[in-house]
Amino acid sequence: MKPAQAAMSLFAGAAKARDLYPAGHPARAQAVTALLQALRPYWAKRPAAVFGIVEDILVFEEEPLYELTPALDELLKLLLGLEIKAVHLRRDVLPADVEKLFEVLTAKPAADQKSQWIAKTVEAGTSGRITVVPETPDAHQVYSNAISYMGDLLGELRDPAHHREQAS
């Protein structure tokens, strides 16, 4: 297994351990410790280890991960569903920070409020040692959708036959 795949597998494993074991269980702490140890070589080169999504592909430190284990596929789906583009783990991150990240990612408000709420909550809860980058909409696509919608709306308003057909 490549180092990037191994690091992301440890991340997914630490997240899964949170689901499998209660708070305070040694297996949760061991999973987070293993993750942080695996990130040390990346922190030696850069101030933060970064993973995220590029065109629906999970990427760790600029290396795309095409062959996903079930745990990594689950992580990818979670990040996509929460509209998270990237996560930056600074080299001074603490195990408690990683636990906070997992807590926020799986919280009910995260599913409702998505990436903006997650980014603010994680940053505040980890003193900035972990940064979540929200997915930003493609401005061109948003503009095109808005123009298309307005065109459709104006077309319906201008075409009285359309309204008579709907009334019958």
Side-chain angles (χ1 to χ4, degrees):
M1 184 179 290
K2 292 182 178 182
Q5 180 102 14
M8 287 308 302
S9 291
L10 287 169
F11 185 90
K16 196 70 164 167
R18 192 174 193 293
D19 291 339
L20 296 174
Y21 303 104
H25 194 283
R28 283 173 68 163
Q30 289 169 348
V32 170
T33 299
L35 167 64
L36 296 178
Q37 287 176 352
L39 295 177
R40 284 187 185 168
Y42 296 98
W43 289 327
K45 299 174 193 169
R46 298 185 179 151
V50 180
F51 70 89
I53 300 171
V54 176
E55 297 182 10
D56 294 344
I57 297 171
L58 190 61
V59 176
F60 179 74
E61 289 295 313
E62 301 177 5
E63 185 174 330
L65 306 176
Y66 296 111
E67 297 177 21
L68 301 182
T69 64
L72 286 176
D73 188 52
E74 191 175 315
L75 175 64
L76 174 64
K77 288 176 184 172
L78 174 68
L79 296 175
L80 285 169
L82 295 175
E83 299 174 352
I84 294 173
K85 183 176 182 172
V87 176
H88 300 242
L89 299 159
R90 285 189 5 201
R91 67 171 63 117
D92 59 345
V93 70
L94 304 172
D97 298 331
V98 177
E99 284 288 341
K100 180 67 174 179
L101 173 65
F102 293 145
E103 176 188 321
V104 173
L105 290 178
T106 59
K108 175 71 174 116
D112 295 337
Q113 299 178 35
K114 306 249 192 248
S115 59
Q116 297 296 329
W117 178 85
I118 294 168
K120 290 176 189 172
T121 306
V122 168
E123 184 129 7
T126 66
S127 299
R129 290 182 292 269
I130 297 178
T131 305
V132 173
V133 179
E135 182 65 52
T136 53
D138 178 1
H140 184 275
Q141 186 63 44
V142 171
Y143 175 77
S144 295
N145 290 347
I147 294 298
S148 176
Y149 174 76
M150 291 304 293
D152 292 346
L153 182 62
L154 289 173
E156 289 177 15
L157 291 174
R158 289 184 187 158
D159 185 6
H162 175 75
H163 292 290
R164 282 194 294 272
E165 288 173 12
Q166 285 187 339
S168 6

